[in-house]
Amino acid sequence: RKMQYRLFGRTMDCKKYPKLWQILKSIVVEEYDLQCKKFIRENHKYCNLKNDIWIIYQMKGPSLIYNKSDFSVISKPFLKTELKCYIKYRFFNNFNARDRTFGEIVKCIDILLKNNPYIEHMSDVDEVDARMFYESLESIDTTKNGRKKSPLNTMNMFYQMRDFVRYLMGENRDKALKTPRPQQNIFEDYSFVNSDSFRNNTKIIP
């Protein structure tokens, strides 16, 4: 229907031109079927450490969905490579095109670098950086739409960074990754109990 609008405008009634509609539909269906197979088959071509733009496709029911990751937003080349390896590992071991891990870790890295611009890779992050990271997350109390941010967001950010560092320290770490291996997972030191109770901010006590 979108193609119909582009070609003939919104005023054309497809019921008056059934043959034309069938031809147009058959062309779209054939091309869509081709893309569903081709794009997914070529996912591995996008996950190249030399590329900064990754687009990963997946079928979700009858729909072809995708996840776009733009690594160019990370200014530190070693951090960028570490994150590429981790996202590649996540995509191909627990494939989910709706995975929001990339965007959340980029936010975390941005906060870490604002607090300490001398961080080059995750092994540089120490206890002071983690504490400043926590305090920064606590001070960001609103979301983009102006609503109060749930404390659960802070916990999720820590869990994302914890899993990221676990990967860099673990056996599943990409052999092509030459950056220093973190000796300690600083983010493991922060635990959040009864997380379900922290989904909403406590009302102000009068």
Side-chain angles (χ1 to χ4, degrees), residues 52-53 69-76 80 83 102-103 106-107 109-110 113:
D52 276 351
I53 304 294
S69 302
D70 184 359
F71 294 91
S72 65
V73 298
I74 303 175
S75 60
K76 302 291 186 175
K80 181 189 299 187
L83 182 54
F102 170 77
V106 166
K107 293 177 186 176
I109 290 176
D110 184 56
L113 291 178

PDB file of all heavy atoms in Angstrom, residues 52-53 69-76 80 83 102-103 106-107 109-110 113:
ATOM      1  N   ASP A  52      31.636   0.477  11.644  1.00  0.00           N
ATOM      2  CA  ASP A  52      31.057   1.160  12.791  1.00  0.00           C
ATOM      3  C   ASP A  52      29.534   1.094  12.805  1.00  0.00           C
ATOM      4  O   ASP A  52      28.915   1.378  13.821  1.00  0.00           O
ATOM      5  CB  ASP A  52      31.495   2.632  12.819  1.00  0.00           C
ATOM      6  CG  ASP A  52      32.851   2.806  13.481  1.00  0.00           C
ATOM      7  OD1 ASP A  52      33.365   1.825  14.053  1.00  0.00           O
ATOM      8  OD2 ASP A  52      33.404   3.923  13.437  1.00  0.00           O
ATOM      9  N   ILE A  53      28.932   0.746  11.675  1.00  0.00           N
ATOM     10  CA  ILE A  53      27.483   0.630  11.599  1.00  0.00           C
ATOM     11  C   ILE A  53      27.120  -0.837  11.401  1.00  0.00           C
ATOM     12  O   ILE A  53      27.499  -1.442  10.403  1.00  0.00           O
ATOM     13  CB  ILE A  53      26.896   1.464  10.439  1.00  0.00           C
ATOM     14  CG1 ILE A  53      27.324   2.925  10.557  1.00  0.00           C
ATOM     15  CG2 ILE A  53      25.377   1.332  10.424  1.00  0.00           C
ATOM     16  CD1 ILE A  53      26.758   3.636  11.762  1.00  0.00           C
ATOM     17  N   SER A  69      23.182  -0.618  15.252  1.00  0.00           N
ATOM     18  CA  SER A  69      24.142  -0.174  16.267  1.00  0.00           C
ATOM     19  C   SER A  69      25.175   0.723  15.605  1.00  0.00           C
ATOM     20  O   SER A  69      25.826   0.317  14.649  1.00  0.00           O
ATOM     21  CB  SER A  69      24.835  -1.378  16.927  1.00  0.00           C
ATOM     22  OG  SER A  69      23.887  -2.249  17.512  1.00  0.00           O
ATOM     23  N   ASP A  70      25.322   1.939  16.118  1.00  0.00           N
ATOM     24  CA  ASP A  70      26.277   2.905  15.568  1.00  0.00           C
ATOM     25  C   ASP A  70      27.418   3.093  16.562  1.00  0.00           C
ATOM     26  O   ASP A  70      27.297   3.838  17.538  1.00  0.00           O
ATOM     27  CB  ASP A  70      25.578   4.235  15.289  1.00  0.00           C
ATOM     28  CG  ASP A  70      26.502   5.257  14.632  1.00  0.00           C
ATOM     29  OD1 ASP A  70      27.690   4.925  14.407  1.00  0.00           O
ATOM     30  OD2 ASP A  70      26.052   6.383  14.355  1.00  0.00           O
ATOM     31  N   PHE A  71      28.527   2.412  16.310  1.00  0.00           N
ATOM     32  CA  PHE A  71      29.665   2.447  17.234  1.00  0.00           C
ATOM     33  C   PHE A  71      30.500   3.715  17.093  1.00  0.00           C
ATOM     34  O   PHE A  71      31.397   3.946  17.894  1.00  0.00           O
ATOM     35  CB  PHE A  71      30.565   1.222  17.002  1.00  0.00           C
ATOM     36  CG  PHE A  71      29.912  -0.081  17.356  1.00  0.00           C
ATOM     37  CD1 PHE A  71      29.212  -0.809  16.409  1.00  0.00           C
ATOM     38  CD2 PHE A  71      29.980  -0.590  18.643  1.00  0.00           C
ATOM     39  CE1 PHE A  71      28.605  -2.014  16.726  1.00  0.00           C
ATOM     40  CE2 PHE A  71      29.378  -1.788  18.977  1.00  0.00           C
ATOM     41  CZ  PHE A  71      28.688  -2.504  18.016  1.00  0.00           C
ATOM     42  N   SER A  72      30.221   4.531  16.087  1.00  0.00           N
ATOM     43  CA  SER A  72      31.007   5.749  15.873  1.00  0.00           C
ATOM     44  C   SER A  72      30.803   6.755  17.003  1.00  0.00           C
ATOM     45  O   SER A  72      31.591   7.702  17.143  1.00  0.00           O
ATOM     46  CB  SER A  72      30.652   6.389  14.527  1.00  0.00           C
ATOM     47  OG  SER A  72      29.306   6.843  14.515  1.00  0.00           O
ATOM     48  N   VAL A  73      29.757   6.573  17.819  1.00  0.00           N
ATOM     49  CA  VAL A  73      29.494   7.505  18.913  1.00  0.00           C
ATOM     50  C   VAL A  73      30.489   7.317  20.062  1.00  0.00           C
ATOM     51  O   VAL A  73      30.550   8.158  20.967  1.00  0.00           O
ATOM     52  CB  VAL A  73      28.052   7.340  19.437  1.00  0.00           C
ATOM     53  CG1 VAL A  73      27.051   7.661  18.353  1.00  0.00           C
ATOM     54  CG2 VAL A  73      27.804   5.926  19.967  1.00  0.00           C
ATOM     55  N   ILE A  74      31.261   6.223  20.036  1.00  0.00           N
ATOM     56  CA  ILE A  74      32.253   5.974  21.086  1.00  0.00           C
ATOM     57  C   ILE A  74      33.608   6.503  20.623  1.00  0.00           C
ATOM     58  O   ILE A  74      34.148   6.052  19.615  1.00  0.00           O
ATOM     59  CB  ILE A  74      32.352   4.472  21.405  1.00  0.00           C
ATOM     60  CG1 ILE A  74      30.985   3.937  21.816  1.00  0.00           C
ATOM     61  CG2 ILE A  74      33.379   4.212  22.504  1.00  0.00           C
ATOM     62  CD1 ILE A  74      30.942   2.449  22.032  1.00  0.00           C
ATOM     63  N   SER A  75      34.150   7.465  21.339  1.00  0.00           N
ATOM     64  CA  SER A  75      35.370   8.153  20.909  1.00  0.00           C
ATOM     65  C   SER A  75      36.645   7.358  21.179  1.00  0.00           C
ATOM     66  O   SER A  75      37.665   7.588  20.534  1.00  0.00           O
ATOM     67  CB  SER A  75      35.461   9.523  21.607  1.00  0.00           C
ATOM     68  OG  SER A  75      35.487   9.361  23.026  1.00  0.00           O
ATOM     69  N   LYS A  76      36.596   6.437  22.129  1.00  0.00           N
ATOM     70  CA  LYS A  76      37.788   5.677  22.494  1.00  0.00           C
ATOM     71  C   LYS A  76      37.866   4.391  21.666  1.00  0.00           C
ATOM     72  O   LYS A  76      36.989   3.522  21.788  1.00  0.00           O
ATOM     73  CB  LYS A  76      37.761   5.332  23.985  1.00  0.00           C
ATOM     74  CG  LYS A  76      37.669   6.535  24.897  1.00  0.00           C
ATOM     75  CD  LYS A  76      38.958   7.353  24.872  1.00  0.00           C
ATOM     76  CE  LYS A  76      38.893   8.472  25.904  1.00  0.00           C
ATOM     77  NZ  LYS A  76      40.160   9.211  26.010  1.00  0.00           N
ATOM     78  N   LYS A  80      35.619   0.932  22.032  1.00  0.00           N
ATOM     79  CA  LYS A  80      34.739   0.621  20.906  1.00  0.00           C
ATOM     80  C   LYS A  80      34.928  -0.833  20.468  1.00  0.00           C
ATOM     81  O   LYS A  80      33.949  -1.559  20.240  1.00  0.00           O
ATOM     82  CB  LYS A  80      35.046   1.553  19.735  1.00  0.00           C
ATOM     83  CG  LYS A  80      34.162   1.336  18.521  1.00  0.00           C
ATOM     84  CD  LYS A  80      34.651   2.134  17.312  1.00  0.00           C
ATOM     85  CE  LYS A  80      34.637   3.606  17.562  1.00  0.00           C
ATOM     86  NZ  LYS A  80      34.946   4.383  16.330  1.00  0.00           N
ATOM     87  N   LEU A  83      33.400  -3.253  23.017  1.00  0.00           N
ATOM     88  CA  LEU A  83      31.947  -3.297  22.930  1.00  0.00           C
ATOM     89  C   LEU A  83      31.493  -4.036  21.677  1.00  0.00           C
ATOM     90  O   LEU A  83      30.511  -4.792  21.711  1.00  0.00           O
ATOM     91  CB  LEU A  83      31.367  -1.880  22.952  1.00  0.00           C
ATOM     92  CG  LEU A  83      29.834  -1.786  22.916  1.00  0.00           C
ATOM     93  CD1 LEU A  83      29.214  -2.610  24.038  1.00  0.00           C
ATOM     94  CD2 LEU A  83      29.378  -0.339  23.006  1.00  0.00           C
ATOM     95  N   PHE A 102      23.128  -2.535  23.521  1.00  0.00           N
ATOM     96  CA  PHE A 102      24.076  -1.597  22.926  1.00  0.00           C
ATOM     97  C   PHE A 102      23.794  -0.163  23.377  1.00  0.00           C
ATOM     98  O   PHE A 102      24.689   0.530  23.866  1.00  0.00           O
ATOM     99  CB  PHE A 102      24.029  -1.680  21.396  1.00  0.00           C
ATOM    100  CG  PHE A 102      24.803  -0.588  20.713  1.00  0.00           C
ATOM    101  CD1 PHE A 102      26.177  -0.643  20.632  1.00  0.00           C
ATOM    102  CD2 PHE A 102      24.143   0.522  20.183  1.00  0.00           C
ATOM    103  CE1 PHE A 102      26.894   0.376  20.028  1.00  0.00           C
ATOM    104  CE2 PHE A 102      24.846   1.541  19.576  1.00  0.00           C
ATOM    105  CZ  PHE A 102      26.229   1.463  19.496  1.00  0.00           C
ATOM    106  N   GLY A 103      22.558   0.271  23.215  1.00  0.00           N
ATOM    107  CA  GLY A 103      22.212   1.646  23.569  1.00  0.00           C
ATOM    108  C   GLY A 103      22.440   1.950  25.033  1.00  0.00           C
ATOM    109  O   GLY A 103      22.910   3.043  25.389  1.00  0.00           O
ATOM    110  N   VAL A 106      26.240   2.166  25.781  1.00  0.00           N
ATOM    111  CA  VAL A 106      26.782   3.420  25.244  1.00  0.00           C
ATOM    112  C   VAL A 106      26.508   4.563  26.220  1.00  0.00           C
ATOM    113  O   VAL A 106      27.376   5.417  26.456  1.00  0.00           O
ATOM    114  CB  VAL A 106      26.179   3.731  23.860  1.00  0.00           C
ATOM    115  CG1 VAL A 106      26.466   5.172  23.454  1.00  0.00           C
ATOM    116  CG2 VAL A 106      26.747   2.788  22.812  1.00  0.00           C
ATOM    117  N   LYS A 107      25.310   4.602  26.808  1.00  0.00           N
ATOM    118  CA  LYS A 107      24.987   5.624  27.802  1.00  0.00           C
ATOM    119  C   LYS A 107      25.927   5.515  29.005  1.00  0.00           C
ATOM    120  O   LYS A 107      26.404   6.524  29.527  1.00  0.00           O
ATOM    121  CB  LYS A 107      23.534   5.473  28.265  1.00  0.00           C
ATOM    122  CG  LYS A 107      22.502   5.781  27.207  1.00  0.00           C
ATOM    123  CD  LYS A 107      21.099   5.525  27.742  1.00  0.00           C
ATOM    124  CE  LYS A 107      20.043   5.672  26.662  1.00  0.00           C
ATOM    125  NZ  LYS A 107      18.686   5.326  27.166  1.00  0.00           N
ATOM    126  N   ILE A 109      28.980   4.169  29.095  1.00  0.00           N
ATOM    127  CA  ILE A 109      30.330   4.569  28.704  1.00  0.00           C
ATOM    128  C   ILE A 109      30.437   6.080  28.624  1.00  0.00           C
ATOM    129  O   ILE A 109      31.440   6.686  29.029  1.00  0.00           O
ATOM    130  CB  ILE A 109      30.715   3.916  27.354  1.00  0.00           C
ATOM    131  CG1 ILE A 109      30.903   2.404  27.543  1.00  0.00           C
ATOM    132  CG2 ILE A 109      31.984   4.538  26.792  1.00  0.00           C
ATOM    133  CD1 ILE A 109      31.195   1.658  26.256  1.00  0.00           C
ATOM    134  N   ASP A 110      29.390   6.712  28.107  1.00  0.00           N
ATOM    135  CA  ASP A 110      29.375   8.177  28.008  1.00  0.00           C
ATOM    136  C   ASP A 110      29.498   8.812  29.389  1.00  0.00           C
ATOM    137  O   ASP A 110      30.252   9.770  29.580  1.00  0.00           O
ATOM    138  CB  ASP A 110      28.089   8.625  27.317  1.00  0.00           C
ATOM    139  CG  ASP A 110      28.049  10.129  27.087  1.00  0.00           C
ATOM    140  OD1 ASP A 110      28.989  10.647  26.443  1.00  0.00           O
ATOM    141  OD2 ASP A 110      27.092  10.792  27.537  1.00  0.00           O
ATOM    142  N   LEU A 113      33.093   8.290  30.790  1.00  0.00           N
ATOM    143  CA  LEU A 113      34.084   9.158  30.147  1.00  0.00           C
ATOM    144  C   LEU A 113      33.913  10.616  30.546  1.00  0.00           C
ATOM    145  O   LEU A 113      34.901  11.366  30.599  1.00  0.00           O
ATOM    146  CB  LEU A 113      34.004   9.013  28.622  1.00  0.00           C
ATOM    147  CG  LEU A 113      34.473   7.666  28.063  1.00  0.00           C
ATOM    148  CD1 LEU A 113      34.292   7.623  26.549  1.00  0.00           C
ATOM    149  CD2 LEU A 113      35.935   7.406  28.419  1.00  0.00           C
TER     150      LEU A 113
END
